Amino acid sequence: MDLPSHLNVICLKASWQSFIKGFVLAFGLRAFIGIFGRVVSILRKRPLGLFSFSNLLGERHVVFRVEAIRLGMFVGSFAGFYRLFRLFFQYLRSKRERVPFKPSLKSLDPPLDDTRSKIECYTSGAVAAAISVSFLSHESRRTLALYSMARAFQSLFYSAEERGLWKSILPVIPIPGTSFTIDIHSILQKHLDALLFIVSSAQIMYCYVMCPE
């Protein structure tokens, strides 16, 4: 960043703190799941094996290490790069508006109250995600893409709903011979999560059965 040295240090420190928090949380969660699964396995077969560290945390049993590090690097790098780019955009804005740039070590950003801030936020998240996803394995990237697609469709639907797009497009179908109608917009509004789950599950099963490669 084209900043004075003390501001560069503050920005890098804020990004580093976000990286460490994300890495520790993600790595710790994955490690806890792996150890908990091992404890349950020992309790089912030989409970006294819990008193042996080699039996509980031996090289042959701690098989989650690489996955935990990958997950930690993914979450940590996303948080760190996102924070760094957000600070960079805030610096550009302060320079353009000729106001003092005061970076904060807090992880939470102020509320987004204008279009430019939202675009900066989306850009920071997209670039950070593109960098951090490189730490995941190929299989994990594919799984993440499937989940992200469902969430993206849901976000697009709700965004269009806030603008009143679906209500003006989706029809109300009358049932002949009765006074009842079928409101497509109302059905989607109430059961969107279930419909997204059905479509996502159908896509995953199709890929698993028809295109396992």
Side-chain angles (χ1 to χ4, degrees), residues 1-208:
M1 289 187 184
D2 184 20
L3 287 170
S5 58
H6 68 286
L7 292 180
N8 263 325
V9 170
I10 294 176
C11 293
L12 292 175
K13 185 177 180 180
S15 304
W16 178 250
Q17 287 180 350
S18 297
F19 169 80
I20 292 297
K21 289 179 182 178
F23 180 87
V24 170
L25 287 174
F27 180 87
L29 178 62
R30 181 61 186 90
F32 172 78
I33 293 173
I35 294 174
F36 181 76
R38 179 59 185 163
V39 169
V40 172
S41 178
I42 294 175
L43 288 175
R44 292 178 60 186
K45 297 178 180 178
R46 191 175 55 183
L48 292 179
L50 288 176
F51 296 99
S52 172
F53 278 102
S54 59
N55 192 28
L56 181 62
L57 300 174
E59 293 288 333
R60 189 162 57 91
H61 307 297
V62 185
V63 296
F64 58 84
R65 289 175 299 177
V66 175
E67 186 179 350
I69 292 176
R70 281 184 179 273
L71 182 62
M73 291 297 297
F74 167 69
V75 176
S77 61
F78 177 81
F81 281 115
Y82 173 79
R83 188 69 184 144
L84 183 64
F85 286 119
R86 287 289 288 142
L87 289 172
F88 176 69
F89 282 123
Q90 290 174 14
Y91 165 69
L92 292 181
R93 170 171 290 198
S94 66
K95 190 174 182 181
R96 182 174 58 253
E97 297 176 355
R98 298 182 179 181
V99 296
F101 175 56
K102 298 179 181 179
S104 174
L105 293 179
K106 295 181 180 180
S107 299
L108 297 178
D109 291 322
L112 305 180
D113 54 357
D114 60 307
T115 303
R116 181 180 291 273
S117 295
K118 293 179 181 178
I119 294 175
E120 293 173 354
C121 179
Y122 296 150
T123 304
S124 301
V127 176
I131 297 173
S132 60
V133 78
S134 62
F135 292 105
L136 296 176
S137 63
H138 180 70
E139 293 77 11
S140 299
R141 293 178 201 170
R142 187 163 49 188
T143 303
L144 180 63
L146 289 172
Y147 287 121
S148 300
M149 187 182 300
R151 295 302 99 188
F153 280 129
Q154 185 178 19
S155 298
L156 288 174
F157 180 88
Y158 285 136
S159 178
E161 173 67 21
E162 289 180 358
R163 292 167 172 79
L165 179 63
W166 298 123
K167 193 170 184 179
S168 61
I169 292 178
L170 296 175
V172 177
I173 303 174
I175 300 177
T178 67
S179 59
F180 297 102
T181 58
I182 301 176
D183 190 348
I184 304 298
H185 171 259
S186 179
I187 294 174
L188 286 178
Q189 192 176 29
K190 292 178 180 178
H191 306 290
L192 177 64
D193 289 338
L195 292 173
L196 279 174
F197 178 77
I198 292 171
V199 174
S200 302
S201 299
Q203 179 66 25
I204 292 172
M205 293 306 297
Y206 173 82
C207 295
Y208 179 75

